[in-house]
């Protein structure tokens, strides 16, 4: 799995866990809807760290908590 795919899956997990819509995430994080959509649909080959930080804040978690998922463990991630 590539990093952008893992980030997209983590966002989906957190949206379900927090019972949040992508629109609500946009409002709380300040990340443009087009950016969130591009990440979720895996159109973006890379995701900036400051974007992930803003999304984590929108979810009400730290960036460490965002990456605290089996999606990011071990040798699962490739470039």
């Amino acid at each position: 799995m590539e990093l952008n795919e893992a980030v997209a899956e983590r966002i989906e997990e957190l949206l379900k866990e927090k019972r949040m819509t992508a629109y609500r995430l946009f409002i709380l994080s300040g990340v443009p809807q087009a950016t969130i959509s591009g990440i979720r649909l895996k159109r973006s080959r890379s995701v900036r760290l400051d974007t992930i930080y803003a999304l984590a804040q929108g979810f009400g978690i730290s960036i460490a908590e965002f990456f605290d998922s089996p999606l990011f463990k071990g040798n699962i991630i490739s470039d």
Side-chain angles (χ1 to χ4, degrees):
M1 175 182 310
E2 293 187 6
L3 182 59
N4 65 317
E5 294 171 326
V7 169
E9 287 190 31
R10 182 63 172 147
I11 289 170
E12 294 303 321
E13 284 179 356
L14 289 166
L15 286 171
K16 287 179 186 170
E17 180 182 313
K18 304 283 185 178
R19 296 181 181 167
M20 186 183 294
T21 64
Y23 179 75
R24 184 74 177 148
L25 180 59
F26 150 66
I27 296 297
L28 295 173
S29 69
V31 175
Q33 287 181 294
T35 300
I36 294 171
S37 177
I39 294 168
R40 292 178 69 206
L41 296 173
K42 301 172 188 154
R43 287 190 206 138
S44 303
R45 291 275 307 138
S46 63
V47 182
R48 293 173 44 134
L49 188 57
D50 61 336
T51 300
I52 295 172
Y53 178 77
L55 291 170
Q57 287 189 319
F59 283 121
I61 61 174
S62 69
I63 198 164
E65 289 171 297
F66 183 90
F67 286 113
D68 186 22
S69 166
L71 293 167
F72 302 104
K73 302 289 186 214
N75 295 328
I76 296 173
I77 301 297
S78 65
D79 332 358

